[in-house]
Amino acid sequence: MTTTEAHPSDPARPDDHGAARARLLAAPGLGGAARRAALARLTDGWLTGLYREAGAPAGTALVAVGGYGRGELSPRSDLDVLLLHEGPIDAALPERIWYPVWDSGAALDHSVRTLEEARTVAADDLKAQLGLLDARHIAGDPALTAALRSALLADWRAGAARRLPELQQMAAERAERHGELSFLLEPDLKEARGGLRDVVTLNAIAATWLADAPRDGLESAAARLADVRDALHLTTGRATERLSLQDQDQVAARLGVLDADTLLRQVYEAARTITYASDVTWRAVDRVLAARSGRGRRISRIAFPFSGVGRGAGAVAKGAVERRPLAEGVVEQDGEAVLAQGARPAQDPVLALRAAAAAAQAGLTVSYATVRRLAAEAKPLPVPWPDEAREQLITLLGAGEACLPVWEALEAEGLITRLLPDWERVRCRPQRNAVHRWTVDRHLIETAVRAAAMTRRVARPDLLLVAALLHDIGKGWPGDHSEAGEVIVRDVAVRMGFDKADTDTLALLVRHHLTLVDTATRRDPDDPATVASITEVVGTVAHLELLHALTEADATATGPAAWSSWRASLVADLAARAAARLAGAVYPVAAEPTAEEERLAVEAARTGAPSLSLHAHAEHDTTGTEPMGVELTLAIPDRPGLLGTVAGVLALHRLTVRSAGLRELDPAGIGPVLLLSWTVAAEYGELPEAARLRADLRRALDGSLDVARKLAERDAAAPRRRGIATPPPVVSVARGASSSATILEVRAHDAPGLLHRIGRALDAAGVRVRTAHVSTLGADAVDAFYVTDAAGLPLEPDRAAEVARSVQAALG
């Protein structure tokens, strides 16, 4: 920090200083950082005059600390001043300096200390130490101030390993008390999370030389908050940091901002920049301190690029870097998701979403350098999106709470608005309603987080998550936001690649996301017209399930006042009445076998061996044909344990099952053959060779390959990841949905070997799987199994319930 010299014409007398200060604050065209610096210079000149008039001897210095030390004086800021001395001084000297300041009405925070006393205070009081780190010379002996700065910085760096955890805890407690600046209707510009105090904290971390914050946009964000605070001081005439509702219009007018909502959006955007920089920096600090204590890989220092795009983790490492695969092109390193060495963002438009989804599902965030690189190099998604892009977005949202830091990282670099251009209109948009605790955009992602815990309640978790994300997307447009949202979501759904039926469902959910709760709380449930109004809107039980879950997710994400046990019971009762009226599940009917499927079935029946075909499955975009996986068709003479065995072989080859169908055929009357149709994709890396996959299938079927043992050995050898908490699996019996079989529905978090475990559990239960419909929607598996007893008859109710419990236990 450079010394600020007093201007020769700066007044020394309090009356002169007050008049000069008033003229400076009223000067047209002077504002922002320039006015704060001018105030600091004016105050420096005044205090220099007071110091000289007091007859301060040699061996003393007047030092500015804290915000004044940084040269950042707002109109009503306190003056933090230290009188530093080497030897004994006249006891009346400090009062000769301080009294004129008090007489002027200025707020003064003062102290008188020797160098050693200042160091002792700093060692005992972290807040005092932070203020002293910004020490700046005003008057007297500059060598004394320089010695103070050198000693304090040396102490700070030497004690960083002890002090930084204390500083982190202090920041967390402050955030707990004051909330998040990015979402508050009456925020504290200094103390709330993402406020000016956090900028001071980031500068203190940088002074340790252990880590530095990502600097892009940080200075301008801090300046914006400081400008708002200046305007607030001038509007209220008080040294307040809270931007109260009654002051926002005047503050906006003083800053030349359109209105109070625009002012809040600017405040929120600045706060998010500071919050994201803080999150990134504290993760870096944690890694450095863990390495120093022997709990992590040795790192000498972590730095972030001030400009341009970093391609690595930004760390100087000693020793090999451990990188574990997460998904294609994505690995885990130092507790973050980073790009694999061979990843090419410019050639892989889905990579950003794949990295985000993999990170969230693993309970990680995406590294700063990786997000920067993706923002700089990633190619825009084609329209409509490839299936994988849509699935990865759903997987990201389905991670629940773990989605939030990943989403914030993507948003910080503009990747969210690039994926969803309509997001920009709701981004940082305040909601002037006491019921709402979040901005519109944060409310939307919070609703998706709540919905992720409800995916076991619906047959289409993917539609629930997307509807949750977009249900208020119409806010900010004229008219009813539900009606505007319906129009927007139809366009967004088509761009995402949803078919017409799914697009219609999403539009229905967005248009009517308030209908269920409004009807339940305002209409008589015993009036037949009340139930009829809901059934006419939803049309099907599946839509009703989705609307019920969305209603609850929306309300619980709004705030405590929006949902209560009373409201929940009213909504649940109305939904149950409507469901009874709509009763009757409809399950998909298998299409007629193709000529290829019939050929495979005949071959399997005649030879008694499995018959297999593999076909590459591809999607087309503007870059050409992009392989997405394989269509695997397998015909095998029926035998016990078939489903679990085949699924286990696929899991051994790290193939993820996206969809699967199983049905029984009797080609040409030769004998029963099971036909399995799978769509699979590689978890990461290359797809296995067809010949190797075929050989392992045959070995597994003849008993020479113990699939269960191999999977158990691989799982035992794999490194443990913390992962994320997911809703428990739900296995239920769909009663009355089929007259020829018992239908078991399984809704669970997708994981390697899931279908293998289900198949083994069904085999152990002694039931036959006649038909199966398996779907993977994002990170959720939604499966239906048509099972019978050994005689081919539906299971008795008690027996069906017992089988459902055994399958659920196997998945628990």
Side-chain angles (χ1 to χ4, degrees), residues 612-614 630-634 642-661 676-684 686-690 692-694 696-697 700 705 707 711 714 751-756 774:
L612 169 70
S613 70
L614 291 168
V630 292
E631 298 285 353
L632 186 156
T633 305
L634 180 65
L642 191 59
L643 177 63
T645 299
V646 176
V649 172
L650 297 181
L652 274 179
H653 285 266
R654 297 193 182 277
L655 290 174
T656 299
V657 179
R658 289 182 172 165
S659 64
L676 298 94
S677 303
W678 311 73
T679 300
V680 298
E683 187 179 342
Y684 46 78
E686 300 294 329
L687 290 165
E689 296 179 357
R692 183 180 172 190
L693 182 59
R694 184 181 291 107
D696 281 351
L697 281 168
L705 175 61
V707 175
L711 285 173
R714 190 181 72 183
L754 174 68
L755 195 54
H756 170 67
V774 175

Side-chain angles (χ1 to χ4, degrees), residues 4-5 10 24 30-44 67-68 70-74 136 230:
T4 302
E5 297 294 338
D10 284 340
L24 188 153
L30 182 62
R35 182 172 58 201
R36 289 189 289 276
L39 272 174
R41 286 195 301 272
L42 181 67
T43 305
D44 286 354
Y68 180 30
R70 295 188 296 274
E72 300 172 356
L73 271 187
S74 289
R136 177 176 58 82
D230 289 358

Side-chain angles (χ1 to χ4, degrees), residues 182-218:
S182 302
F183 309 116
L184 295 168
L185 277 177
E186 294 188 304
D188 187 308
L189 300 170
K190 184 177 182 180
E191 302 293 345
R193 183 170 184 255
L196 292 167
R197 184 76 74 185
D198 280 342
V199 179
V200 175
T201 298
L202 291 175
N203 290 335
I205 294 172
T208 66
W209 290 351
L210 294 181
D212 193 12
R215 293 284 165 177
D216 285 354
L218 184 59

Side-chain angles (χ1 to χ4, degrees), residues 492-558:
V492 174
V494 169
R495 281 188 273 126
M496 285 183 175
F498 284 104
D499 62 24
K500 184 180 184 306
D502 289 349
T503 298
D504 289 343
T505 298
L506 289 169
L508 181 151
L509 294 172
V510 171
R511 174 66 182 86
H512 293 285
H513 69 271
L514 297 175
T515 298
L516 196 57
V517 68
D518 286 348
T519 304
T521 55
R522 298 175 184 176
R523 300 277 295 276
D524 179 4
D526 294 322
D527 185 347
T530 301
V531 175
S533 68
I534 297 299
T535 58
E536 288 172 7
V537 165
V538 298
T540 68
V541 172
H543 286 165
L544 178 63
E545 288 178 346
L546 286 166
L547 188 60
H548 187 186
L550 176 60
T551 299
E552 185 173 339
D554 179 20
T556 54
T558 298

Side-chain angles (χ1 to χ4, degrees), residues 345-437:
Q347 301 170 20
D348 187 353
V350 184
L351 183 57
L353 278 173
R354 190 186 311 123
Q361 287 292 325
L364 308 171
T365 191
V366 185
S367 80
Y368 172 73
T370 293
V371 179
R372 293 291 308 279
R373 183 181 173 192
L374 288 169
E377 299 181 23
K379 186 177 180 180
L381 282 171
V383 177
W385 290 9
D387 287 348
E388 187 196 357
R390 189 172 61 255
E391 289 294 313
Q392 296 294 355
L393 173 64
I394 293 161
T395 301
L396 169 61
L397 298 176
E401 291 283 351
C403 167
L404 289 174
V406 177
W407 189 272
E408 289 170 351
L410 297 184
E411 189 184 57
E413 296 298 331
L415 284 166
I416 297 299
T417 50
R418 195 181 303 179
L419 290 167
L420 302 169
D422 298 285
W423 195 260
E424 183 59 34
R425 200 172 184 94
V426 297
R427 184 175 179 272
C428 292
R429 179 172 291 279
Q431 303 201 76
R432 294 186 176 277
N433 184 322
V435 173
H436 279 277
R437 60 181 298 194

